[in-house]
Amino acid sequence: MNQEYLNPENIEVIEEIELSKDAYVIADERVFALYKSHFEACDLLLLRAGETDKNLAGVERIWQYLSERGAGRDASIHVFGGGSISDIAAFAISTFKRGCRLTLYPTTLMSMIDASIGGKTGFNYSGLKNHIGSLYPAEKIFLYHDFLESLPADEIRQGLAEMLKCKLLDSELPTFIMSASETPDIDCTLEYARYKMHICMIDPWDRAIRRLLNFGHSFGHALESLSNFELKHGDAIYLGMKLAARYSHDQGLLSKKGLDEYEMMLSGYPLPAKHFAYLDRYSSDELLPLLLQDKKSGSRLCLILPTDDGIRAFESVVF
Ligand SMILES: NC(=O)c1ccc[n+]([C@@H]2O[C@H](COP(=O)([O-])OP(=O)(O)OC[C@H]3O[C@@H](n4cnc5c(N)ncnc54)[C@H](O)[C@@H]3O)[C@@H](O)[C@H]2O)c1
């Protein structure tokens, strides 16, 4: 992994997209359709966003695109899309000729503040999400405001959930408008993106402080699976943060007053009303096996819980 790229200064807001005619470009087909004029004269590879196409066949299409055009190790490849596109493209690029130069142009709020940052790449394999991957940070990450303007409210909301998580981790981060019907402010988005990058710079291997970024994720991933992915990622993380607070209270780590405070801080998120039912739908017997499956490091389950002393990581051996 090229750790020097894990630098908040490597993320920039741009006013224009400038691509030379001979640039290697990989883009989400929907983004291409919406912003065609930015890609004129480029010989680009279009991919479909989403989990179904984040697979080995997609990786091979990228390798083939680069091979057929004679891309060398010094080739600079520009990737436009949300997290599903950047994850698979960055993986393919990290392995092509043992790694080419990568520039990301995240096009969703979720990818601007989360997926494009920190170098985690991957694709789904053998029915498991992100089962194969690498750590390969992009050389540059460019945030282009216009991309946020075409983003459906549902997708903006998913990014807001991750921003809310960061704000709970660090109250110094700027406040933001918790509305999925408004285009997020690009400068505020940049600050959140740089916050994640800063954490990744301090803890590139996800062994200490970076694990706190998983707040809401263990319970959230369990709900995502149990809902058969009816729940989108950000919505699931939001509910996961609420469940983590309840669990922490049940374990005696968070007082009633502390729980009420977390509930208050979590209250503005525009979750569709029907999704609140997920909070009481599953017993801990149903959630526990999925929490154990979600463990990130070998035989240890690491839960990130809000406590009366702040948000903390709790690790336990599970075999
Ligand atoms: N690598 C990481 O650290 C990391 C972190 C979080 C999530 N992820 C991954 O990110 C993926 C989710 O990414 P995502 O939330 O960005 O969604 P996505 O890439 O699946 O895109 C969501 C939808 O928005 C559309 N879209 C993208 N940009 C648009 C634009 N500017 N205007 C209109 N529509 C647009 C896409 O075509 C798609 O339909 C998951 O696969 C997840 O595993 C990775």
Side-chain angles (χ1 to χ4, degrees):
M1 169 163 69
N2 208 336
Q3 282 189 41
E4 80 198 61
Y5 295 154
L6 293 177
N7 181 339
E9 298 303 315
N10 284 356
I11 314 172
E12 279 174 46
V13 171
I14 49 170
E15 301 294 329
E16 299 288 338
I17 290 173
E18 284 165 16
L19 294 168
S20 64
K21 277 189 184 159
D22 53 359
Y24 299 98
V25 180
I26 297 168
D28 176 337
E29 60 183 22
R30 182 171 297 176
V31 172
F32 172 73
L34 288 164
Y35 296 91
K36 266 196 183 109
S37 61
H38 294 304
F39 301 101
E40 262 163 19
C42 285
D43 170 22
L44 74 177
L45 171 69
L46 297 181
L47 298 175
R48 202 165 42 187
E51 294 308 309
T52 355
D53 289 305
K54 196 174 148 182
N55 56 22
L56 184 57
V59 174
E60 282 179 345
R61 284 189 63 204
I62 299 168
W63 286 335
Q64 192 180 6
Y65 162 81
L66 296 172
S67 294
E68 285 173 359
R69 281 152 191 81
R73 185 145 201 262
D74 58 347
S76 178
I77 300 149
H78 303 259
V79 176
F80 294 78
S84 58
I85 301 293
S86 58
D87 271 11
I88 189 174
F91 173 80
I93 291 161
S94 76
T95 46
F96 187 79
K97 308 241 175 203
R98 300 197 182 98
C100 302
R101 298 177 61 191
L102 167 67
T103 303
L104 293 177
Y105 302 74
T107 61
T108 62
L109 182 60
M110 170 71 87
S111 58
M112 286 187 187
I113 56 138
D114 191 0
S116 66
I117 300 157
K120 287 184 185 170
T121 83
F123 64 95
N124 305 330
Y125 187 73
S126 189
L128 296 169
K129 198 167 145 80
N130 299 329
H131 194 45
I132 311 288
S134 61
L135 273 175
Y136 198 73
E139 205 172 303
K140 277 276 179 194
I141 299 166
F142 291 127
L143 309 187
Y144 181 57
H145 174 261
D146 286 18
F147 286 143
L148 291 174
E149 283 175 357
S150 56
L151 207 55
D154 243 21
E155 296 301 336
I156 290 182
R157 197 175 68 244
Q158 308 316 309
L160 291 176
E162 293 286 356
M163 287 173 75
L164 179 56
K165 174 202 75 182
C166 295
K167 179 78 181 157
L168 291 177
L169 288 168
D170 185 347
S171 61
E172 306 271 287
L173 281 165
T175 45
F176 56 93
I177 300 170
M178 189 70 87
S179 161
S181 53
E182 294 198 32
T183 307
D185 177 77
I186 196 70
D187 294 319
C188 179
T189 305
L190 176 67
E191 285 208 44
Y192 277 78
R194 286 186 167 166
Y195 168 74
K196 177 173 177 190
M197 188 67 102
H198 177 73
I199 303 276
C200 296
M201 181 173 77
I202 300 171
D203 179 20
W205 302 105
D206 218 349
R207 286 178 187 142
I209 190 173
R210 186 168 172 182
R211 294 190 308 181
L212 296 183
L213 294 174
N214 280 327
F215 178 35
H217 283 60
S218 295
F219 288 98
H221 287 158
L223 286 182
E224 229 177 331
S225 302
L226 286 166
S227 77
N228 273 329
F229 296 91
E230 187 206 341
L231 275 179
K232 284 177 168 270
H233 182 69
D235 292 340
I237 296 316
Y238 170 73
L239 292 171
M241 290 190 282
K242 285 178 87 75
L243 284 181
R246 278 189 191 177
Y247 180 78
S248 187
H249 174 61
D250 292 345
Q251 299 300 310
L253 297 164
L254 182 64
S255 62
K256 177 72 175 81
K257 182 168 169 276
L259 178 63
D260 290 345
E261 277 167 14
Y262 271 102
E263 292 283 359
M264 179 66 85
M265 289 186 280
L266 286 165
S267 63
Y269 182 72
L271 186 76
K274 61 176 181 177
H275 289 336
F276 280 101
Y278 279 105
L279 281 174
D280 299 306
R281 187 165 293 174
Y282 304 107
S283 67
S284 46
D285 286 351
E286 286 168 296
L287 287 174
L288 192 65
L290 289 157
L291 290 184
L292 297 182
Q293 253 178 41
D294 196 56
K295 62 190 185 298
K296 297 263 174 186
S297 55
S299 59
R300 286 172 191 277
L301 168 69
C302 182
L303 280 183
I304 312 301
L305 298 175
T307 72
D308 287 323
D309 298 320
I311 298 170
R312 302 267 179 274
F314 293 87
E315 209 174 74
S316 61
V317 178
V318 294
F319 312 130

